[in-house]
Amino acid sequence: MTTPATWQKSSFSGGGEGNDCVELAATEGGIRLRESDTPASELATTPTPLTHLLHTLKSRNLTGH
């Protein structure tokens, strides 16, 4: 597995230099996701399943309130 050259932080990460954010990178085979505090652990996916996940998360109240 090759490491992507460019990682992009989530807009919800606050833009700081802290290590508490989700990062995404486009690769030849799809999309990689990682947490900045554990960059060696990556999740590989493709646009379709990621889109379904994001739509599901946005449509639910995940805080339990």
Side-chain angles (χ1 to χ4, degrees):
M1 176 163 63
T2 60
T3 301
T6 305
W7 288 93
Q8 181 179 5
K9 285 186 180 182
S10 165
S11 61
F12 289 100
S13 298
E17 293 298 319
N19 285 336
D20 57 350
C21 59
V22 174
E23 298 174 320
L24 293 151
T27 62
E28 207 173 292
I31 300 170
R32 300 274 180 82
L33 296 97
R34 71 179 184 183
E35 283 193 55
S36 56
D37 61 346
T38 55
S41 298
E42 297 177 11
L43 174 66
T45 189
T46 58
T48 300
L50 181 58
T51 299
H52 288 286
L53 173 65
L54 294 175
H55 282 280
T56 300
L57 293 174
K58 287 180 180 181
S59 69
R60 295 184 182 179
N61 179 355
L62 299 178
T63 62
H65 299 277

